[in-house]
Amino acid sequence: MELRQLRYFQAVAEEGNLTRAARRLYLSAPSLSQQIRLLEKELGAPLFERAATGMTLTPAGTALLPEAKAALDAAERARHAVESAARTEPAVLRIGVPAGVPAALVRCVTDASAALRQAGVPARIRFHDASTAAQLDLLASGDLDLGLLTAPFPATDLRTATVWREPMGVVTGHAHPLAGLDSVGFADLAGQELLWFPREFAPGHHDEVLAHCRRNGWDPHLRTGSGHRSVFRTQLTSGEPVVAVQPASMVADDPHLAWRPFTREAPALTLAAAWRPANPDPALCDLVLAVQQATAAGAAEPTD
């Protein structure tokens, strides 16, 4: 049992309604429902009676509520004690980074942090590898200060700012026939498999790009890719009819791979910074603004 699960349970118990509790927690309702069911499975008892009019506590839920409040209050006291003891030290901003984020964006974040420190703003950062879906939960529970999320993602009450937008193109090995083209049309991709990431990592982006391909006449058979760059390269240089769809920045430094733009109507990779409105750290907003300014001066197409 985790503290965030108890926080989710308390919110639903107090609101008596899943949708209202989800808004309060900056989560989507389906994600919150899944977390409550996982908690019930772990405890071995239903915590809520579910009805069209809302959710009411079962006897097990009624027994858990005061214990959950006590645990959360104790955790909050512990956090305040640590913050008080460490008040003279610079704050550490915990930033989530999904797989596939362009290295140039990560450099922009670290460069912006360094620039802020030189200007006297404490903005020491610590990166955490986490998918877009996982980051939404971590932001809601307070275990992340800032998320870098692959758009689109479920609507929440999080504050967001687009920090990176880059057109995607076709990635192949240099020996692949498509590598000989200056640009690739969707018709050229007939018969090619698509090396693609698991949907649960970023469902919105996964579905959006595939829908874009299908609208333009290419409905590819999917091959699940690996997060390891060496395996990714091996699959694309195997001589098989397989391609990937990624921004140029993702493969620019790989001499074994070729990137070609789409002839028209390219899908795009969009990344947004996201944080809780209640986060009081002024260094966080300073960092987001500095990252936007840094990416605006780069080769991608960040937007406000």
Side-chain angles (χ1 to χ4, degrees):
M1 188 188 316
E2 301 178 12
L3 283 174
R4 66 187 179 95
Q5 292 177 309
L6 294 179
R7 190 177 295 111
Y8 298 162
F9 163 75
Q10 181 182 1
V12 176
E14 291 177 349
E15 297 291 342
N17 179 279
L18 192 72
T19 301
R20 287 198 302 270
R23 282 199 298 266
R24 167 174 157 181
L25 293 164
Y26 314 119
L27 286 174
S28 67
S31 177
L32 178 57
S33 177
Q34 180 184 34
Q35 291 297 325
I36 294 297
R37 291 190 182 280
L38 287 173
L39 179 60
E40 290 176 320
K41 182 178 180 181
E42 181 177 348
L43 294 175
L47 301 174
F48 293 98
E49 295 286 352
R50 293 161 172 84
T53 54
M55 297 176 69
T56 56
L57 290 170
T58 62
T62 301
L64 177 61
L65 185 57
E67 303 299 333
K69 289 180 177 179
L72 292 169
D73 288 344
E76 187 67 11
R77 289 194 300 272
R79 185 178 68 82
H80 283 305
V82 171
E83 288 177 351
S84 178
R87 194 167 291 154
T88 58
E89 298 182 10
V92 176
L93 299 179
R94 301 158 298 174
I95 301 177
V97 180
V101 67
L105 176 56
V106 177
R107 285 196 298 271
C108 283
V109 175
T110 54
D111 290 349
S113 173
L116 288 173
R117 285 199 303 274
Q118 290 178 354
V121 179
R124 218 157 41 92
I125 58 176
R126 181 180 299 144
F127 290 115
H128 295 262
D129 294 331
S131 69
T132 290
Q135 285 187 61
L136 289 170
D137 283 345
L138 293 171
L139 285 165
S141 65
D143 293 318
L144 273 185
D145 299 302
L146 182 70
L148 295 177
L149 308 180
T150 307
F153 44 84
T156 68
D157 288 337
L158 293 169
R159 293 186 62 187
T160 63
T162 301
V163 293
W164 192 271
R165 182 172 174 81
E166 187 176 2
M168 304 175 79
V170 177
V171 182
T172 69
H174 280 294
H176 194 288
L178 294 179
L181 302 178
D182 292 329
S183 62
V184 177
F186 285 96
D188 299 322
L189 294 169
Q192 299 291 324
E193 283 189 281
L194 175 61
L195 188 58
W196 202 226
F197 63 91
R199 185 178 185 275
E200 60 266 23
F201 289 173
H205 179 61
H206 179 283
D207 294 349
E208 183 178 74
V209 172
L210 290 181
H212 183 97
C213 293
R214 289 164 182 149
R215 284 196 304 271
N216 284 276
W218 182 41
D219 188 2
H221 180 270
L222 302 183
R223 180 184 297 195
T224 302
S226 166
H228 298 286
R229 178 56 55 174
S230 59
V231 178
F232 175 81
R233 182 192 304 121
T234 298
Q235 290 178 295
L236 290 176
T237 57
S238 65
E240 297 181 83
V242 58
V243 303
V245 174
Q246 289 193 348
S249 62
M250 296 297 297
V251 295
D253 298 328
D254 195 322
H256 302 281
L257 301 177
W259 184 89
R260 296 294 179 265
F262 281 100
T263 303
R264 60 183 179 85
E265 297 185 36
L269 171 68
T270 302
L271 290 148
W275 65 100
R276 289 171 295 135
N279 193 319
D281 195 334
L284 189 61
C285 293
D286 289 337
L287 180 62
V288 173
L289 179 59
V291 170
Q292 285 186 297
Q293 292 171 340
T295 55
E301 303 176 35
T303 57
D304 293 330

